[in-house]
Amino acid sequence: MPNISGATILGNGKVCLVLNPIDLFKLAKKTTISITVKELAQQAQLKQKILLVEDSIPIRTQMQQILEDAGYEVTAAEDGEDGFNKLKADTFDAVISDVQMPNLDGLGLTAKIRQLPEYQDLPVILVTTLASEEHKRKGVEAGANAYITKSNFKQGAF
């Protein structure tokens, strides 16, 4: 029998098979699994990570819940400065940010993100109450991929 070197009788009278460690190592070397990172991620069902930057606690909580219900892993930040620090400390698939915030606003955060080559392809979505065409233009100029007004905010559309 492969991988078995013999058998013995235990003190309680039961027969016990003795494994052959050399055969087991040979078998382990032959058995290699080839898998891509993409396949591994699909198997592990890794969630995409979103950085949510919003200074209003109720709005941040609501948006975080919507995103988590949609299957995303969310890291929340309380302003642009906190968000940028969290962005540098981890890896994210997208950034969703308010525009009006203390310390560093969403436009400044977006511009700061776009200055770094490693974040050139990182999607940045601005969600704000500022609904004028001028505000939208400023968002696009800063480097945002999308600009959503909170008055038009709907869970399905988000």
Side-chain angles (χ1 to χ4, degrees):
M1 223 176 178
N3 305 321
I4 306 293
S5 61
T8 188
I9 299 176
L10 298 176
N12 62 6
K14 292 185 178 181
V15 176
C16 178
L17 298 176
V18 178
L19 297 174
N20 183 332
I22 295 172
D23 286 351
L24 290 173
F25 284 119
K26 287 179 185 176
L27 179 65
K29 284 184 179 179
K30 289 180 188 176
T31 309
T32 58
I33 298 172
S34 177
I35 189 166
T36 66
V37 173
K38 183 178 179 182
E39 292 169 332
L40 185 61
Q42 288 171 343
Q43 287 181 5
Q45 296 179 343
L46 296 176
K47 294 181 177 183
Q48 288 188 316
K49 292 174 69 172
I50 304 292
L51 176 60
L52 175 62
V53 186
E54 170 64 62
D55 62 322
S56 168
I57 294 171
I59 294 173
R60 183 172 61 229
T61 304
Q62 177 191 23
M63 291 175 69
Q64 184 169 357
Q65 188 62 52
I66 290 169
L67 291 166
E68 288 174 347
D69 288 347
Y72 294 99
E73 181 180 329
V74 179
T75 299
E78 60 189 35
D79 59 41
E81 188 176 304
D82 183 35
F84 190 74
N85 290 335
K86 288 181 177 178
L87 179 65
K88 297 287 286 178
D90 203 348
T91 303
F92 295 95
D93 297 297
V95 174
I96 298 173
S97 177
D98 185 15
V99 173
Q100 294 177 306
M101 295 180 292
N103 298 324
L104 179 63
D105 69 13
L107 296 174
L109 172 63
T110 303
K112 198 170 180 178
I113 289 170
R114 293 297 180 230
Q115 289 175 355
L116 300 172
E118 62 266 32
Y119 301 127
Q120 289 302 308
D121 296 327
L122 180 68
V124 177
I125 302 164
L126 296 176
V127 181
T128 181
T129 56
L130 303 174
S132 74
E133 289 302 317
E134 181 183 345
H135 289 116
K136 291 178 185 179
R137 183 185 51 75
K138 286 181 180 179
V140 171
E141 287 175 358
N145 299 88
Y147 192 99
I148 301 171
T149 57
K150 291 179 184 175
S151 61
N152 295 330
F153 182 78
K154 293 180 182 139
Q155 183 170 345
F158 186 55

